[in-house]
Amino acid sequence: MTVLEILRSTTAYFQKHNIENSRLNAEYLLANVLGRKRIDLYLQFEHELNEAELTPLRELVRRRSAGEPLQHLLGTVEFFGHSFRCDKRALVPRPETEQLVELLISRCKSEIEYARIVDVGTGSGVIALSLAAEFVNAEIIGVDISGDALMLARENAERLGLSDRVRFLKSNLLENVEGTVDLIVANLPYISTEDRQKLSREVLHDPEVALFAGARGDELVRALIAQAPSSLRPGGVLAMEIGLGQRETLVVALAEKNYRDIWSEKDYSGVTRFLFARYG
Ligand SMILES: C[S@@+](CC[C@H](N)C(=O)[O-])C[C@H]1O[C@@H](n2cnc3c(N)ncnc32)[C@H](O)[C@@H]1O
């Protein structure tokens, strides 16, 4: 079979199995097996695949159809222009979170250029490492409660040549972070345990500890709001990704703890997804 025939049949197969963006998934998996860039497939539509190429492809197609995330099958994910290793040890980084990094850079660039920053719930390290690549003078710490996630984050730091710039630390929220910081950024779990059945097969491949915060969903974000003032320097910023419909009550929680300059931002799909505030 040729590249074009494989792409057509795999796309149709994925559609039958309710895989979103079927053609794109087919292209990524085929490019991965052939060791090429996805875009190069377009120059090779007539290339005939041999059995040594078809066998691993069939296995990847089977696993993808069964709901394994594309990023796990590829082993990498693009985030903020960098390629990160991605596997079941941590959450698959989401495009919304790239927007959190973008917002920090556009809104707080001058004050975080030389800042001490902590990324709480760092997972694969995407936020901490993207900020480290952007702000060469910043001191950055990534913390997580999961040893597996921290291992992956350290591998990613190595992969990007940033191991000496970012320190990864095991910590329950800010418990083990010493001294004060200028910015706390966090994409903590914010899904309620009740919403488990609404999640897609793909999302259920993420670690539980990366998804669920408790019966309400905002428990960890609230705990961070309560804890952050003792780690933030006066005027320091708390920046968080939050869940659908959580804005109102979290704004109240911030106001009650005497944060100021509270503002929120929507993600590209129009959902209020990010919350920012200063303390002191
Ligand atoms: C939604 S994931 C985000 C991962 C990464 N920051 C990203 O944006 O892709 C949340 C992360 O918070 C971590 N986490 C959960 N509870 C925590 C806690 N109490 N203290 C620190 N990290 C926690 C999880 O292990 C997970 O890596």
Side-chain angles (χ1 to χ4, degrees):
M1 285 177 92
T2 66
V3 163
L4 187 58
E5 285 165 347
I6 295 276
L7 285 178
R8 284 186 178 145
S9 61
T10 307
T11 303
Y13 188 75
F14 280 160
Q15 277 165 349
K16 222 171 66 194
H17 286 82
N18 299 318
I19 302 296
E20 276 181 33
N21 303 315
S22 298
R23 169 76 183 215
L24 207 58
N25 274 258
E27 289 181 359
Y28 272 116
L29 292 179
L30 180 53
N32 181 262
V33 163
L34 297 178
R36 311 227 182 270
K37 288 190 176 142
R38 184 177 67 85
I39 211 71
D40 292 340
L41 297 179
Y42 284 79
L43 305 172
Q44 306 193 314
F45 275 162
E46 300 312 318
H47 168 80
E48 291 273 344
L49 270 79
N50 57 39
E51 202 47 41
E53 293 163 335
L54 283 170
T55 306
L57 181 66
R58 282 194 201 102
E59 176 61 7
L60 290 175
V61 169
R62 186 194 61 74
R63 289 168 62 188
R64 183 70 194 95
S65 304
E68 270 191 61
L70 177 68
Q71 298 86 344
H72 284 185
L73 298 176
L74 300 176
T76 57
V77 63
E78 289 293 315
F79 185 97
F80 210 71
H82 308 286
S83 167
F84 289 85
R85 186 171 293 174
C86 178
D87 60 35
K88 62 181 183 341
R89 288 175 289 176
L91 186 98
V92 173
R94 310 290 205 266
E96 298 90 275
T97 310
E98 278 182 302
Q99 222 183 315
L100 177 59
V101 174
E102 272 165 29
L103 284 166
L104 283 172
I105 291 172
S106 65
R107 297 296 173 93
C108 309
K109 187 175 172 104
S110 58
E111 59 183 311
I112 60 179
E113 220 150 8
Y114 292 87
R116 189 161 192 256
I117 300 170
V118 57
D119 170 21
V120 184
T122 195
S124 55
V126 284
I127 299 176
L129 293 166
S130 299
L131 290 174
E134 194 73 19
F135 298 107
V136 294
N137 294 306
E139 181 192 339
I140 302 180
I141 306 161
V143 302
D144 207 289
I145 203 163
S146 153
D148 275 353
L150 288 167
M151 200 191 298
L152 181 60
R154 289 191 184 105
E155 287 169 17
N156 275 323
E158 192 118 322
R159 183 181 169 91
L160 300 181
L162 292 167
S163 294
D164 54 344
R165 299 270 328 285
V166 182
R167 196 156 55 92
F168 289 105
L169 194 69
K170 189 156 187 166
S171 178
N172 180 4
L173 299 179
L174 294 163
E175 239 170 56
N176 298 336
V177 176
E178 286 172 359
T180 57
V181 298
D182 305 281
L183 168 68
I184 297 172
V185 56
N187 176 22
L188 284 164
Y190 52 66
I191 301 175
S192 84
T193 39
E194 281 169 19
D195 283 343
R196 177 191 294 271
Q197 61 276 27
K198 295 185 193 157
L199 300 177
S200 69
R201 295 179 299 172
E202 283 80 358
V203 173
L204 291 170
H205 281 265
D206 285 319
E208 295 252 323
V209 67
L211 295 176
F212 302 109
R216 292 172 53 112
D218 64 358
E219 288 85 344
L220 280 167
V221 173
R222 281 172 175 276
L224 182 65
I225 288 172
Q227 223 184 61
S230 45
S231 291
L232 278 175
R233 63 127 168 105
V237 173
L238 173 61
M240 298 174 294
E241 185 172 322
I242 60 169
L244 187 66
Q246 292 176 350
R247 178 188 172 276
E248 303 297 317
T249 51
L250 292 175
V251 166
V252 172
L254 285 163
E256 277 173 2
K257 297 282 177 201
N258 299 318
Y259 285 81
R260 62 179 170 88
D261 301 348
I262 302 167
W263 79 99
S264 59
E265 301 273 358
K266 293 189 164 115
D267 64 20
Y268 291 128
S269 53
V271 172
T272 301
R273 181 68 69 194
F274 313 106
L275 207 48
F276 302 83
R278 289 184 189 277
Y279 190 83

